[in-house]
Amino acid sequence: MNTIVLTTDPGRLAGSLATAAAILLRGGLVAFPTETVYGLGADATSAAAVERIYLAKGRPHRNPIIVHVADTAVAQPLVTHWPEAAARLASRFWPGPLTLVLPRSAAVPDVVSGGGPTVAVRVPAHPVALALLEAVQRPLAAPSANRSNRLSPTRAEHVLAELSGRIDAVLDGGPCPGGIESTVVDLSGPDPVLLRPGLVTAAEIGEVVGTLAIGGHAPKAGPLPAPGQMARHYAPRTPVWLWDGEAEGWAALQTVRSGGLPCVLVTFSEGGPDSEVPNEPGVRVRRLPNLPLQASARLYDELRALDQAGLGAIHVVLPPDTPPWLAIRDRLLRAGRRVEDR
């Protein structure tokens, strides 16, 4: 299969959207930008089309897929119950990086929900994603446009690096501003439950719905309640070692050096530019912003670049265990291993 790249330049956007919509309506796969990461879209009403997503990604069928819709009016027929909490959250955060999990209706094929009883829905905020939804006039099932368990793509070239020849097209909308996946809140039970932290924080959700429980461990068998629940996820191929503090990282760094290959220590801290480490040949420090939203926007780009740098290991000093950093800690804890667990 030849994967085509469709431009979103203003003078050619209409033609690109028409081509992408035609591909989707005949059951094909189109990657497109959102405000979080690139999604791999298929017609959510077609079980055969959605099955192609699982095949292209190598995705386990128990892992459900978020359905992207143009607005609340398109979302409501996909569920059997639209509680007041859903209405309030949608009014506050849609379009935006918040996914709601609700009891699914018969309009949603089993394959979309991994065979489970719920469906995850959201309205993306990216103008290209919204324009595509308008052009295709269908809800789009769209997980991240990468091979299963790998780093999510934030640029079209990331999509092509992993899925070229496996999907029909990519709408190149430039870099995604958010950088990590949407927040997921389960509204299918009596109380709202945070299943995946993201760019909309638990505190912001709590302002709308009151008490918000934090989801526990995902089941080891059967359908997962939402995407992003697998223990190993969002991971580079290069081993990632996680530290709870920079001092502890330096003290034990030599115990996990990998075959004499160079390595990098990633920190979320103020400080000077990236630099070589004195008296540690082959070790560099990579400094990411110490502000959560800025760090989120760069996280996957940085990890992907390091994954391609021929390193023996990527060492990451975890950011503080505080609510603003919850989403980044979640992604890192799924991507790597704490040193004490080696």
Side-chain angles (χ1 to χ4, degrees), residues 25-123:
L25 289 172
R26 66 170 183 258
L29 303 182
V30 176
F32 60 92
T34 77
E35 77 281 19
T36 59
V37 300
Y38 272 75
L40 179 56
D43 179 356
T45 68
S46 168
V50 176
E51 181 64 37
R52 291 192 61 205
I53 291 178
Y54 286 92
L55 180 63
K57 285 174 60 73
R59 184 182 181 92
H61 279 77
R62 65 189 292 254
N63 194 5
I65 295 174
I66 293 172
V67 177
H68 293 63
V69 295
D71 53 37
T72 302
V74 180
Q76 289 179 339
L78 304 178
V79 306
T80 59
H81 178 52
W82 187 257
E84 179 61 25
R88 294 199 303 268
L89 288 169
S91 177
R92 171 77 178 272
F93 297 112
W94 282 3
L98 177 65
T99 295
L100 303 179
V101 175
L102 295 155
R104 69 181 174 98
S105 73
V108 179
D110 284 353
V111 67
V112 172
S113 295
T118 58
V119 63
V121 293
R122 87 175 184 100
V123 179

Side-chain angles (χ1 to χ4, degrees), residues 266-323:
V266 178
T267 71
F268 300 87
S269 64
E270 295 282 4
D274 300 348
S275 60
E276 296 285 352
V277 179
N279 303 318
E280 290 284 355
V283 180
R284 294 182 64 85
V285 177
R286 189 78 178 100
R287 300 185 188 280
L288 295 183
N290 69 342
L291 298 174
L293 287 179
Q294 293 181 13
S296 297
R298 289 177 52 184
L299 180 65
Y300 289 152
D301 265 2
E302 299 290 349
L303 288 178
R304 189 175 290 272
L306 294 175
D307 197 29
Q308 297 169 352
L311 301 172
I314 302 169
H315 302 274
V316 182
V317 177
L318 289 166
D321 191 5
T322 58

Side-chain angles (χ1 to χ4, degrees), residues 174-234:
C176 300
I180 62 172
E181 302 81 3
S182 63
T183 305
V184 179
V185 175
D186 187 354
L187 299 178
S188 64
D191 299 305
V193 178
L194 180 68
L195 295 182
R196 181 175 72 185
L199 297 172
V200 177
T201 67
E204 291 173 315
I205 296 165
E207 291 174 359
V208 177
V209 299
T211 302
L212 178 67
I214 305 299
H217 296 292
K220 293 183 178 181
L224 294 170
Q229 305 297 294
M230 302 182 75
R232 174 73 171 171
H233 212 31
Y234 315 117

